């Protein structure tokens, strides 16, 4: 009983929106009923080294971590990429701040060839300041609610790659079998495929940049999305359906189900353009929402489909954590709420 209570206390500490006990970064490695905690900038690297080949979960506190190499089939959860500081005062004595989890240098995913597929790696709620590499064959990689400031670069055979509710500023290169859904994508030519046989679907996204140079690699199906081209053409090898496009007309769209000549100032409740900032919701005006319906019966854009835009990680926010010793037992008192 004592061991299980202690494990619970450690796990709860990992879920608070910033570093706990001290201001130092922490990583909790959970494998079944066993838990280990690591501290400091290399905590992620140390947790990965200690993890078994499959099935472990690593939960990161807020703070900045050094990059690491993922060679095992693990789940990694952070506190999210948005910083929301709440100042303390007499009317608000509690610290309700939520701080981000940042990986400052490259994160490489190089699964050992001895680990058979599917690999099913899940990464959620982190801000990646630099590139993410995938250098070895992989089957099953889900990146959710992450901020990708640089490219996701894949240089090996891959399938079952899923990006959901991410900010993608650096592009995704070398995709084989993938879906990108409810994401903000910086521009149309930031998506490249591994081969002509690759199967890529981009669905319910906001794409905020035109296509500038044809290199034959941007071949994908784009559906139910909002696209700002800035007057530039779209990738000629791709197909677009049920998309809102600011250009007056584009000849190679491959479908008559698109809307052209969109003025973004007439579409959104929260801005007059399509560009990203941390406060954007891309909520459409009621009249626009009634007109622009996608192939699945939901609104076109990042708020439609099965995964409407939401940056908040699935891990709950734990508040008022108090540890008390009662004889030989460690008691845990806390409150939780959905973020």
């Amino acid at each position: 009983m004592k061991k299980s209570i202690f494990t619970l206390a450690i796990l709860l500490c990992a879920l608070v929106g910033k570093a706990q006990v001290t201001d130092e970064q922490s990583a909790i490695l959970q494998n079944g009923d066993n838990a280990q905690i690591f501290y400091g900038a290399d905590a992620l690297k140390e947790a990965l080294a200690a993890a078994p080949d499959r099935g472990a979960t690593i939960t990161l506190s807020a703070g900045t971590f050094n990059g690491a190499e993922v060679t095992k089939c693990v789940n990694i959860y952070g506190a999210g990429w948005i910083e929301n500081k709440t100042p303390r005062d007499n009317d608000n004595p509690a610290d309700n701040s939520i701080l981000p989890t940042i990986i400052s240098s490259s994160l490489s995913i190089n699964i050992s060839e001895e680990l058979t597929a599917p690999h099913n790696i899940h990464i959620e709620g982190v801000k990646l300041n630099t590139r993410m590499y995938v250098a070895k064959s992989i089957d099953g990689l889900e990146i959710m609610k992450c901020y990708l400031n640089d490219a996701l670069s894949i240089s090996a055979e891959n399938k079952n790659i899923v990006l959901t509710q991410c900010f993608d500023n650096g592009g995704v290169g070398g995709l084989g079998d993938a879906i990108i859904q409810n994401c903000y994508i910086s521009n149309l030519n930031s998506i490249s495929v591994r081969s002509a046989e690759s199967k890529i679907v981009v669905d319910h996204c906001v794409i905020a940049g035109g296509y500038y140079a044809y290199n034959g690699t941007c071949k994908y199906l784009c559906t139910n999305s909002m696209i700002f081209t800035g007057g530039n053409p779209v990738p000629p090898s791709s197909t677009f359906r049920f998309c809102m496009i600011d250009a007056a007309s584009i000849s190679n769209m491959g479908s008559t189900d698109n809307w052209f000549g969109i003025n973004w100032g007439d579409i959104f409740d929260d801005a007059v353009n399509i560009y990203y900032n941390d406060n954007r919701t891309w909520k459409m005006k009621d009249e626009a929402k009634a007109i622009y319906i996608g192939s699945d019966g939901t609104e076109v854009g990042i708020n439609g489909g099965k995964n409407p835009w939401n940056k908040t990680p699935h891990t709950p926010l734990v508040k008022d954590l108090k540890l008390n010793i009662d004889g030989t037992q460690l008691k845990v008192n806390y409150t939780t709420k959905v973020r």
Side-chain angles (χ1 to χ4, degrees):
M1 183 66 174
K2 182 178 179 182
K3 178 181 177 182
S4 64
I5 292 176
F6 181 66
T7 300
L8 175 61
I10 291 177
L11 293 176
L12 289 173
C13 289
L15 300 177
V16 184
K18 58 181 181 177
Q20 305 78 17
V21 183
T22 70
D23 289 331
E24 194 172 16
Q25 309 94 314
S26 65
I28 305 299
L29 171 63
Q30 177 74 13
N31 180 34
D33 291 332
N34 299 316
Q36 294 174 265
I37 186 166
F38 304 87
Y39 290 105
D42 282 329
L44 172 59
K45 184 184 298 184
E46 294 169 1
L48 286 166
D53 286 342
R54 293 182 187 273
T57 295
I58 297 171
T59 306
L60 303 175
S61 71
T64 301
F65 296 83
N66 293 329
E69 183 179 37
V70 179
T71 61
K72 302 165 183 176
C73 304
V74 297
N75 303 308
I76 299 173
Y77 290 89
W81 82 68
I82 301 301
E83 181 172 308
N84 181 13
K85 290 186 176 180
T86 303
R88 297 188 186 191
D89 54 38
N90 291 334
D91 296 326
N92 181 34
D95 185 355
N96 291 313
S97 297
I98 299 175
L99 303 180
T101 298
I102 299 169
I103 298 178
S104 62
S105 51
S106 64
L107 184 70
S108 61
I109 302 174
N110 300 315
I111 300 300
S112 170
E113 295 176 358
E114 298 176 356
L115 295 179
T116 57
H119 301 115
N120 295 337
I121 296 169
H122 182 92
I123 300 174
E124 180 174 338
V126 299
K127 181 176 182 178
L128 295 156
N129 277 347
T130 59
R131 185 163 297 194
M132 182 188 295
Y133 294 96
V134 180
K136 295 181 180 178
S137 179
I138 190 168
D139 179 354
L141 170 63
E142 183 175 34
I143 302 171
M144 177 176 268
K145 301 176 186 290
C146 288
Y147 183 110
L148 306 176
N149 194 46
D150 205 335
L152 168 59
S153 180
I154 305 174
S155 59
E157 294 292 334
N158 62 90
K159 60 182 180 178
N160 296 317
I161 308 295
V162 181
L163 272 70
T164 304
Q165 298 167 330
C166 291
F167 169 85
D168 173 22
N169 191 46
V172 184
L175 290 173
D177 171 23
I179 182 167
I180 302 173
Q181 54 191 0
N182 298 88
C183 292
Y184 177 96
I185 303 170
S186 60
N187 57 70
L188 287 163
N189 62 342
S190 65
I191 303 168
S192 67
V193 300
R194 182 165 177 79
S195 70
E197 291 74 35
S198 296
K199 297 179 180 179
I200 315 299
V201 175
V202 179
D203 184 61
H204 281 291
C205 289
V206 170
I207 305 175
Y211 184 77
Y212 302 105
Y214 173 56
N215 57 14
T217 63
C218 295
K219 178 179 179 293
Y220 52 85
L221 170 64
C222 184
T223 58
N224 305 313
S225 295
M226 298 174 169
I227 301 170
F228 172 73
T229 69
N232 294 285
V234 299
S237 56
S238 295
T239 301
F240 298 80
R241 294 176 180 151
F242 290 91
C243 291
M244 300 168 64
I245 304 159
D246 64 305
S249 65
I250 298 176
S251 61
N252 71 294
M253 300 304 289
S255 174
T256 59
D257 298 322
N258 300 295
W259 296 273
F260 296 97
I262 300 297
N263 180 355
W264 301 114
D266 298 332
I267 301 299
F268 299 113
D269 259 346
D270 65 335
V272 296
N273 57 48
I274 202 168
Y275 297 119
Y276 175 86
N277 65 59
D278 283 346
N279 297 317
R280 281 303 302 266
T281 65
W282 288 285
K283 181 181 178 181
M284 284 200 285
K285 297 177 180 178
D286 289 341
E287 55 269 32
K289 190 183 297 186
I291 295 171
Y292 301 108
I293 304 297
S295 60
D296 58 359
T298 69
E299 66 181 89
V300 171
I302 206 165
N303 289 308
K306 297 180 180 179
N307 303 279
W309 180 249
N310 185 335
K311 303 185 292 291
T312 305
H314 285 110
T315 51
L317 186 64
V318 177
K319 290 294 181 182
D320 303 321
L321 182 65
K322 297 178 182 179
L323 307 179
N324 298 298
I325 297 175
D326 183 5
T328 60
Q329 291 189 332
L330 181 63
K331 291 188 174 182
V332 182
N333 295 307
Y334 63 94
T335 59
T336 64
K337 63 178 180 179
V338 177
R339 288 193 268 192

